[in-house]
Amino acid sequence: MQFLAFLFDKHLDKTVLVAVLVVSLVFLNLPEASKVNKAKVVTSFLLYPVNKVSRYFASVEELRQENTDLKRMVATLYHERERLLQFRDERNRLRKLLGFKEDSFYRFMPCEVIANSSERFLHSVVVDRGKVDGVKVGMAVVDYRGLVGRVIEVFPHSARVMLINNKSCSVSCIDKRSRVVGILEWERGNLFSLEYVGSSEDVRPQDTLITSGFGKLFPKGFTVGTIFHVADEKGGLARKVSAVAFSDLNKLEELFIVVGGRKWEENEIYDELEKLSRKKSGVK
Amino acid sequence: MNPVKVLVIFILGLILQLTIADKVAIAGAKPDFLIVILVALALNRNVIAAVIIGFSLGFIQDLASPAFLGMNAFAKSLIAYGIARIGGEYLPHNILYFIALIFSAVLINDIISLNVVYSFSFTNVLGSFFRYSLLTAVYSALLGGVLYILVFGLGMIGVVRQRSRIE
C-alpha cells in the first residue's frame, strides 16, 4: 500500500510517464505483422477522415496537373485548327474548281442505352432518344470508337437501334489504307468478315475499316473495325478477311446518333471553345 | 481545452503533416507540424495531461506508419513531460523560448526516432541527424514562431493571457 501511495500520490506524473513509456516500448517490440494488423484495425476507424482529406488534396494536385496539360492541349488544338481551316478553305476552293458537290461533317446527339435485346442473333438496343428529339429511322449510331448500328424503329421518347452484329445487317466498308471495298458481315462475338474481297486485293492485318457511304445506309468515314487476319482460299477468287469491331458491341452504354450533316463553315464547337476561353480571360 | 478539441487539433496537425509537409520541404527537411502542436499544447498544461497528450499524438502518428509503432509515442511522451516540467516551471512565456523549445523538441524527437530506425547505428544516426534533423528543427522552430505570432498576435487563443492571469 505504501508503495502504491508512493507511486500514485507522491509521484503520479512520473508514474504516468513510466507507464506510457513502457506501453510504447511494448508496442515497439511487437512483431511487425502484428503491429501492422493492429494499426490497420485502428486506422480504419480513427484515421479515415485524415486519409479522406489527404486523398482530396492529392486529387486537387492531380487536377491542377491535368488542367495544365489540358491548357497545353487546347493551345495545340487551336494552332492545329488554324492550320486545318486554311486547308479547308483551300479544299473548298479546289472542290469548287472541279465542280464537286459540297460535303459536310456530322452532328451528334448523345444518348444512353436503356435496354438490350434478348434475341441471340438479332442484336439491338433501345436508346433514350426518340421522335420528340428528332430521331428518324435510318440514322446511324456510333460510340466514341466507331460505328455501332442504325435506328430501325422510333418511338416518342426512345428508339431501337439495330447493331452491326446483327445477322441481317451488312456494312459497306473501305480499307482506309488501300481503299479496297468490301461488305462487313457479323460472324460471332465482336468478330466480322469482310466479304467480296478479291484474291489480288491489297488488304493486310492492322488495316482500319471505315464506312464507305455506298448505298447511303451508313454515312461515309466512320471507323468500324480493324483487320486481324487475311487468308487466301484455295483456288478461290476471294480472300477470307477477318476483322474485329472497334466498339465493344456487348457493352454499349453511351452512344451518339448521327442526326445530320453540318457544313464545314459552321464552327459551332470551335466557336463555343473560343467563347469559353474569352470568358475565362475576361476578353469580350 | 476539452479532449475533443485536442483530438481535432491532432487530426488537423496530422492532415497538415501528411499533405503539406512534403510540398514545403526544403533540401529534404520537412517541417514537423506535430511537434509544434505538441509544444503548444504541452506548454500550458500539467505534467500528466501533457504526457497523455504526447503519448496520444505520437501514437496517432505511429498508426499512420505502423512499422515502428510506439516510437513516436515514446519520443513524444518524453518531450511532453520535459516541456511541461521545464516550460511550465522555469521558462518565461515568450516567442523566443517557444522557438527554442520547438527546436530542442525536434532534435530530441529525431535522436530517439533515428536510433530506433537505425537500431542505434551511430554513423547512420549521426549522418541523418546532420543531414536532415538540424534543418528540420530550424524549419519547424521558425514555423512555430510564425504560428505563435499569428495565434497570439491575433488573440485567437488566450494561452498567454490565461497564463499571465494565473501568474
Side-chain angles (χ1 to χ4, degrees), chain B residues 50-109:
Chain B
V51 169
I52 290 169
I53 286 173
F55 176 78
S56 316
L57 188 61
F59 189 70
I60 290 177
Q61 191 182 359
D62 283 331
L63 287 175
S65 50
F68 296 101
L69 190 71
M71 177 182 77
N72 283 298
F74 185 92
K76 288 189 169 58
S77 305
L78 268 183
I79 290 166
Y81 179 84
I83 287 166
R85 265 256 173 268
I86 305 163
E89 286 177 16
Y90 306 111
L91 296 178
H93 208 276
N94 70 37
I95 187 168
L96 287 177
Y97 287 107
F98 188 66
I99 288 174
L101 274 179
I102 293 173
F103 183 79
S104 324
V106 173
L107 293 185
I108 293 168
N109 185 71

Side-chain angles (χ1 to χ4, degrees), chain B:
Chain B
M1 198 179 279
N2 69 39
V4 178
K5 278 187 189 167
V6 173
L7 187 71
V8 169
I9 292 175
F10 281 6
I11 289 175
L12 280 176
L14 201 58
I15 289 170
L16 284 175
Q17 195 65 40
L18 292 175
T19 55
I20 296 172
D22 280 333
K23 292 182 176 61
V24 293
I26 298 172
K30 298 185 266 185
D32 198 330
F33 291 102
L34 295 171
I35 290 280
V36 176
I37 287 173
L38 177 66
V39 172
L41 289 175
L43 203 54
N44 67 328
R45 235 160 264 276
N46 70 49
V47 177
I48 295 169
V51 169
I52 290 169
I53 286 173
F55 176 78
S56 316
L57 188 61
F59 189 70
I60 290 177
Q61 191 182 359
D62 283 331
L63 287 175
S65 50
F68 296 101
L69 190 71
M71 177 182 77
N72 283 298
F74 185 92
K76 288 189 169 58
S77 305
L78 268 183
I79 290 166
Y81 179 84
I83 287 166
R85 265 256 173 268
I86 305 163
E89 286 177 16
Y90 306 111
L91 296 178
H93 208 276
N94 70 37
I95 187 168
L96 287 177
Y97 287 107
F98 188 66
I99 288 174
L101 274 179
I102 293 173
F103 183 79
S104 324
V106 173
L107 293 185
I108 293 168
N109 185 71
D110 278 18
I111 288 170
I112 295 171
S113 306
L114 289 172
N115 273 298
V116 173
V117 171
Y118 292 120
S119 310
F120 299 96
S121 153
F122 186 69
T123 356
N124 286 333
V125 170
L126 210 64
S128 293
F129 182 80
F130 283 111
R131 202 175 308 137
Y132 301 114
S133 302
L134 282 175
L135 194 54
T136 302
V138 173
Y139 200 169
S140 306
L142 290 176
L143 184 84
V146 172
L147 287 177
Y148 188 97
I149 292 167
L150 281 175
V151 173
F152 299 131
L154 298 172
M156 283 161 72
I157 298 177
V159 180
V160 175
R161 284 173 214 150
Q162 201 182 320
R163 278 182 57 79
S164 58
R165 245 183 271 136
I166 293 164
E167 282 160 9

Side-chain angles (χ1 to χ4, degrees), chain A residues 139-155:
Chain A
M139 284 177 168
V141 179
V142 296
D143 75 353
Y144 72 96
R145 287 163 292 199
L147 186 75
V148 161
R150 69 189 180 96
V151 177
I152 50 165
E153 255 183 297
V154 181
F155 311 105

Side-chain angles (χ1 to χ4, degrees), chain A residues 245-264:
Chain A
F246 282 130
S247 309
D248 189 345
L249 298 161
N250 296 316
K251 289 177 193 164
L252 297 172
E253 280 177 81
E254 289 90 20
L255 303 177
F256 299 92
I257 301 172
V258 185
V259 289
R262 64 187 175 101
K263 290 187 175 166
W264 284 92

Side-chain angles (χ1 to χ4, degrees), chain A:
Chain A
M1 281 304 277
Q2 265 186 335
F3 178 67
L4 285 178
F6 173 79
L7 281 182
F8 290 102
D9 292 342
K10 285 188 177 173
H11 298 284
L12 184 62
D13 52 350
K14 289 185 189 82
T15 310
V16 171
L17 176 69
V18 171
V20 297
L21 292 182
V22 168
V23 172
S24 306
L25 288 174
V26 168
F27 277 125
L28 203 50
N29 285 301
L30 283 174
E32 191 156 337
S34 152
K35 267 192 269 190
V36 173
N37 287 339
K38 281 191 176 70
K40 266 184 192 165
V41 173
V42 185
T43 40
S44 58
F45 291 105
L46 265 183
L47 296 182
Y48 177 75
V50 179
N51 287 334
K52 195 93 179 153
V53 175
S54 318
R55 251 182 260 138
Y56 170 77
F57 278 107
S59 70
V60 167
E61 193 57 40
E62 274 169 26
L63 283 176
R64 193 171 292 145
Q65 182 59 42
E66 194 180 337
N67 193 27
T68 315
D69 292 345
L70 286 173
K71 274 183 187 161
R72 201 176 299 136
M73 194 190 282
V74 167
T76 316
L77 285 174
Y78 270 123
H79 184 72
E80 188 80 349
R81 178 227 169 183
E82 284 307 317
R83 226 163 58 89
L84 286 172
L85 286 178
Q86 287 169 23
F87 283 137
R88 178 201 70 187
D89 293 341
E90 186 183 307
R91 179 179 180 279
N92 281 350
R93 281 197 303 275
L94 291 172
R95 281 180 74 89
K96 244 178 219 168
L97 274 175
L98 291 169
F100 280 147
K101 216 172 95 179
E102 249 183 287
D103 65 349
S104 57
F105 62 125
Y106 304 103
R107 217 184 277 273
F108 300 100
M109 181 194 287
C111 60
E112 272 185 46
V113 174
I114 51 172
N116 286 296
S117 71
S118 54
E119 294 156 68
R120 278 184 64 202
F121 302 108
L122 300 169
H123 296 116
S124 66
V125 291
V126 178
V127 294
D128 63 349
R129 300 278 188 164
K131 204 170 192 172
V132 292
D133 304 295
V135 179
K136 287 174 187 157
V137 172
M139 284 177 168
V141 179
V142 296
D143 75 353
Y144 72 96
R145 287 163 292 199
L147 186 75
V148 161
R150 69 189 180 96
V151 177
I152 50 165
E153 255 183 297
V154 181
F155 311 105
H157 297 283
S158 60
R160 182 173 291 280
V161 178
M162 179 170 72
L163 302 179
I164 54 172
N165 60 352
N166 189 311
K167 265 294 175 197
S168 55
C169 182
S170 302
V171 186
S172 172
C173 289
I174 299 182
D175 184 313
K176 196 174 165 188
R177 180 186 55 83
S178 63
R179 314 308 286 182
V180 170
V181 182
I183 304 291
L184 198 72
E185 284 177 359
W186 178 63
E187 283 195 338
R188 64 183 188 282
N190 240 22
L191 305 181
F192 293 77
S193 64
L194 191 67
E195 302 291 333
Y196 312 111
V197 177
S199 55
S200 59
E201 302 278 23
D202 177 19
V203 280
R204 293 180 207 159
Q206 309 292 328
D207 280 359
T208 299
L209 297 172
I210 57 171
T211 51
S212 68
F214 301 155
K216 305 282 178 191
L217 273 177
F218 294 101
K220 188 179 176 178
F222 285 108
T223 52
V224 183
T226 185
I227 295 171
F228 70 90
H229 185 251
V230 180
D232 285 316
E233 285 174 358
K234 271 184 185 171
L237 294 171
R239 302 182 93 173
K240 185 170 168 47
V241 182
S242 303
V244 61
F246 282 130
S247 309
D248 189 345
L249 298 161
N250 296 316
K251 289 177 193 164
L252 297 172
E253 280 177 81
E254 289 90 20
L255 303 177
F256 299 92
I257 301 172
V258 185
V259 289
R262 64 187 175 101
K263 290 187 175 166
W264 284 92
E265 284 71 23
E266 293 171 15
N267 292 313
E268 282 172 5
I269 298 169
Y270 290 125
D271 291 346
E272 270 171 36
L273 265 174
E274 249 172 24
K275 258 186 225 166
L276 270 175
S277 84
R278 273 188 201 148
K279 205 174 166 185
K280 222 174 171 187
S281 58
V283 181
K284 286 190 179 178

